[in-house]
Every structure is written in C-alpha cells, then in structure tokens.
Amino acid sequence: MNFTKLIDAFGIPGTYIGSEELSTGNNNQTYRLHFYDNGDMFYIMQRLNTHVFKQPRALMDNIRRVTEHIGQKLKQVGCADAHRMVLHFLLNKDGEPFVEDESGFWRAYRYVDRAYTYDIIQDSFCFYQAGRAFGEFQRHLVDFPADTLTETIPHFHDTVDRMRILHEAIENNKAGRADSVRKEIDFILAREKEAGIIVEALDSGRIPWRVTHNDTKINNVLFDSQSRAPLCVIDLDTVMPGSSLYDYGDAIRSGTNTAGEDEENISLIHFDLELFEKFTRGFLETTADSLTREETLLFPTAARIMTLELCARFLADYLDGDLYFKIKKPGHNLIRTRNQIELLRQMEAATPAMEAIIADICRQG
Ligand code: GN1
Ligand code: MG
C-alpha cells in the first residue's frame, strides 16, 4: 500500500518509515504508520468500509464533535495525559477529518502508544476497568445533545428491525443455507417478543435517548501498558443517539464470554458471573448519577437482548452468503451464531443471579 498521497493530504510531519496492517475489527481496513520526527511517531490510517458506513462524512462529523467534547472535558479537569485519553483525528488541508480519493474514504488519528487491548478478558479487574471506561464515556457525553448527531446507521440496535431482517434473510435464502440451520432459526425466533423491550422503552419515553458508543466490544477499550488503567474508548464509528443499555448490554455480551465470540467448541463457552459483577460495578460507579432506575433494572434484559441481536445478525449474514461481517473461515458466521446462542442460553439460566448481583451493588452504592 502506498500512503504517500494520504500522508501529504493529512500533513503528517516527519519521515515516513513504513506501515503494517492491523487485523482488528470486522469492518474497516486499518494500518499503523511509523514516522520519525525527533523520535518514533505512529499514526493509524484507516479505510472506512463504505458498504457498512454509508454516510462517512456524517460519521466523521459525529466522531469529531464527540471527541472534541470529551477533549474539552478532560482539559477542564486538568488531565495531564489528555492526548492519550481521547482519540485525536488529523485534519486535511480543508480542515476536514478525512480524505476521500479513488482508493476510498480515509481517516487518520494519532496512535496511542504504550497501550494494549484485550480480545478476551484476562482477569476480572480489567473488566471492572472496562466498565468504568465505558461508563466514563457516557458520563462525559451526558450533556451532549444526542439529537444533533446523525443516525449514521439507521436502526443499528433496533432489535425489532434486526428480527425483520432475519425473517427476510430466511425467506430469500440467498445462499441456500436455510434448511441446514432450522434449529438456530427456531431458537432465535422463539425469543422475538423479548427483542423489542429496549426499543419500546425508548419509544415510549420510559428510558432516555443518550449519546452512546454502540459497539462496546471489550477490544474497544485501550489500557495503559504500565498502570493497566483504562485510557480511552476507541472505534467510534457507531457513536450515535441510542440507549445506555446498548452499551452496557453489548459489553456484557462480549466480555463475559470466556471463550470469545469466535470459539467453535461450544463446551468452552462460559457466561462468567464474576465478570458480569465486575463490569456492572465499574459501569454503575461511573454512571450512577445519570442513569435512571428503569435503565438499571433493565441491565439483565439488555445483556440478553444484545446477545440475541448478534445471534440474529450473524445468522442473517450467514443466510445471505456472508456479505457483512468479515469471515476468516467457511461457516464462520454460523460458528458465531451458535456461540452466541449458547451464551444466551446460559444468560437466561443466570438471570435471577444477575438480578441479585445488581440489587446488591445498588444497595451498597
Ligand atoms: C462489528 O468491526 P467490529 O468488530 O468493531 C459490528 C458490531 C458487532 C461486532 C461483532 C458497525 O464490530 O456491531 O457487535 O462486529 N460493527 C458494525 O463482532 O456492524
Ligand atoms: Mg466497530
């Protein structure tokens, strides 16, 4: 990949040394660029998947405004490490946070050094920290007017709509796979009624719209290599108006599964209640003054609904012939579907335990 024109367009200073592709994320193409400018400097250069993100300019506008808002909050409290606690996007010569050319839609940001991410949780303390990081993100944005952000992927977590899309995929049966996955289809459709709970609560005004991250996979938190404290939340493509329950629920879905969502061996999948407790504690500690009681009561439901949503999305993509999620092997989306079904099964069995844990944390708080 030749980055010369992009480097110039973003005005990156220093001598370009080289690049490596990073294989993170299911959507975008990501490179780390190495420069020398009185020392080593690294930047992330990313080509947006415009099949998934159909409004890239609006998406970058959302990200820019949200990161600037957080940056200002950090400044106000005199945070010394502010440049590592929120992503800094580079601007092109016209002051826009992207460059669009014949090779695609690109953005660049300063690479946060001395930091790492987890694909699978290593210990419960780090998941507690992740809960604090996602909670902090919400807290910083509590005064940001959610309705000024563009809904760049309409109906992203509208789980009722996700079910409709699954029905459509079953009917169209594009890849001819529907008959082989009847068991999985039945499992998901049997839970169709529960799928609407968060959407209905938002629509009826029982819970508020907020600015949410909407992709709170555990590998979207950066940790400091030395202190192991969380630095910032990354992958801001889906920052949009949403429910705090989407962020909470998706983090629980992705972080409490001790085997990760790509594990094929069902017997290794384990919904870990200790991890559940730790994340919930961290999230509540940082959001307690802004979350409503109604939202907190819906935490276990949110964990199940977000898992159900991913069951439906992975299966619909499998039925369509794997058009949306990057796959690394044949049947990968079916593997992910079965994995999430098993996780959901275990969450259902553990729901009374989840409720008791939340009640306990709230009593102590
Ligand atoms: C996608 O690309 P990545 O891994 O950040 C997806 C999420 C899913 C996730 C499942 C925009 O996220 O919604 O939860 O895969 N992002 C989008 O692995 O669809
Ligand atoms: Mg993402």
Side-chain angles (χ1 to χ4, degrees):
M1 185 77 210
N2 186 343
F3 289 107
T4 316
K5 276 198 208 147
L6 289 167
I7 291 169
D8 178 53
F10 280 116
I12 305 179
T15 310
Y16 174 56
I17 312 276
S19 71
E20 61 169 326
E21 184 168 358
L22 306 181
S23 66
T24 53
N26 284 338
N27 299 128
N28 300 320
Q29 218 169 355
T30 306
Y31 299 87
R32 190 170 74 139
L33 272 56
H34 181 186
F35 289 79
Y36 190 81
D37 186 24
N38 285 324
D40 289 318
M41 281 296 292
F42 295 92
Y43 294 87
I44 292 290
M45 186 76 78
Q46 233 172 7
R47 177 172 24 213
L48 227 66
N49 179 338
T50 46
H51 173 70
V52 172
F53 304 110
K54 295 190 164 59
Q55 302 183 58
R57 284 167 186 259
L59 176 149
M60 284 313 296
D61 187 56
N62 283 355
I63 292 182
R64 179 193 187 159
R65 289 170 51 224
V66 161
T67 49
E68 280 176 6
H69 187 89
I70 297 177
Q72 260 164 22
K73 287 265 168 97
L74 293 170
K75 233 199 231 155
Q76 275 163 20
V77 295
C79 174
D81 221 8
H83 71 283
R84 300 175 74 226
M85 302 195 70
V86 64
L87 294 184
H88 285 270
F89 287 83
L90 306 188
L91 305 180
N92 69 16
K93 289 174 181 142
D94 299 321
E96 298 160 325
F98 57 83
V99 169
E100 200 170 11
D101 65 14
E102 61 294 340
S103 68
F105 188 98
W106 294 88
R107 64 168 169 223
Y109 58 89
R110 263 176 69 175
Y111 177 74
V112 180
D113 58 354
R114 293 168 287 125
Y116 60 93
T117 59
Y118 289 106
D119 280 325
I120 296 178
I121 293 293
Q122 307 293 325
D123 59 60
S124 59
F125 182 66
C126 98
F127 202 36
Y128 160 76
Q129 296 279 40
R132 288 193 62 91
F134 284 124
E136 254 324 68
F137 182 78
Q138 296 238 318
R139 205 172 57 83
H140 283 316
L141 294 167
V142 80
D143 56 345
F144 190 105
D147 57 357
T148 63
L149 292 177
T150 306
E151 204 186 342
T152 47
I153 309 185
H155 304 289
F156 189 55
H157 287 311
D158 178 342
T159 321
V160 174
D161 199 54
R162 292 292 182 188
M163 286 295 178
R164 180 191 62 74
I165 293 170
L166 176 61
H167 277 290
E168 220 171 75
I170 298 165
E171 217 154 278
N172 295 340
N173 196 13
K174 272 195 216 150
R177 294 168 169 171
D179 281 342
S180 63
V181 293
R182 283 291 153 204
K183 250 183 24 209
E184 287 77 11
I185 291 175
D186 289 347
F187 180 92
I188 298 169
L189 295 186
R191 285 148 180 84
E192 196 159 2
K193 215 162 147 239
E194 174 165 89
I197 294 178
I198 299 177
V199 180
E200 282 150 21
L202 279 171
D203 286 347
S204 66
R206 263 175 53 218
I207 58 171
W209 285 93
R210 298 179 184 279
V211 178
T212 46
H213 181 282
N214 295 307
D215 187 6
T216 48
K217 248 160 94 164
I218 179 62
N219 61 9
N220 284 333
V221 180
L222 277 188
F223 291 88
D224 185 278
S225 313
Q226 251 179 351
S227 67
R228 294 175 70 222
L231 285 169
C232 64
V233 162
I234 56 171
D235 188 2
L236 306 172
D237 294 331
T238 48
V239 167
M240 287 185 277
S243 163
S244 59
L245 295 173
Y246 297 154
D247 284 5
Y248 172 81
D250 199 43
I252 294 292
R253 172 194 78 78
S254 72
T256 58
N257 179 352
T258 53
E261 73 184 18
D262 290 319
E263 179 55 57
E264 192 164 353
N265 183 347
I266 297 290
S267 68
L268 296 179
I269 296 165
H270 172 57
F271 169 61
D272 191 312
L273 266 173
E274 191 197 337
L275 290 177
F276 170 85
E277 192 263 336
K278 289 293 189 294
F279 184 91
T280 304
R281 193 176 284 281
F283 192 79
L284 277 173
E285 273 175 14
T286 41
T287 56
D289 48 356
S290 59
L291 283 190
T292 65
R293 185 177 143 74
E294 191 73 30
E295 288 173 294
T296 312
L297 286 175
L298 283 171
F299 274 5
T301 308
R304 293 194 309 273
I305 290 184
M306 295 309 290
T307 310
L308 178 63
E309 178 185 309
L310 266 294
C311 290
R313 290 176 66 192
F314 286 141
L315 187 58
D317 199 34
Y318 180 70
L319 291 168
D320 285 345
D322 309 309
L323 303 174
Y324 187 92
F325 294 106
K326 267 194 223 158
I327 57 165
K328 296 196 177 115
K329 50 189 163 186
H332 198 162
N333 275 318
L334 180 57
I335 291 169
R336 290 167 170 149
T337 308
R338 290 183 172 147
N339 174 307
Q340 297 293 291
I341 286 178
E342 175 57 24
L343 181 66
L344 179 52
R345 234 192 264 283
Q346 294 186 27
M347 282 181 174
E348 286 173 351
T351 293
M354 286 195 256
E355 286 166 355
I357 287 170
I358 291 166
D360 238 30
I361 297 174
C362 290
R363 239 194 323 271
Q364 293 160 17

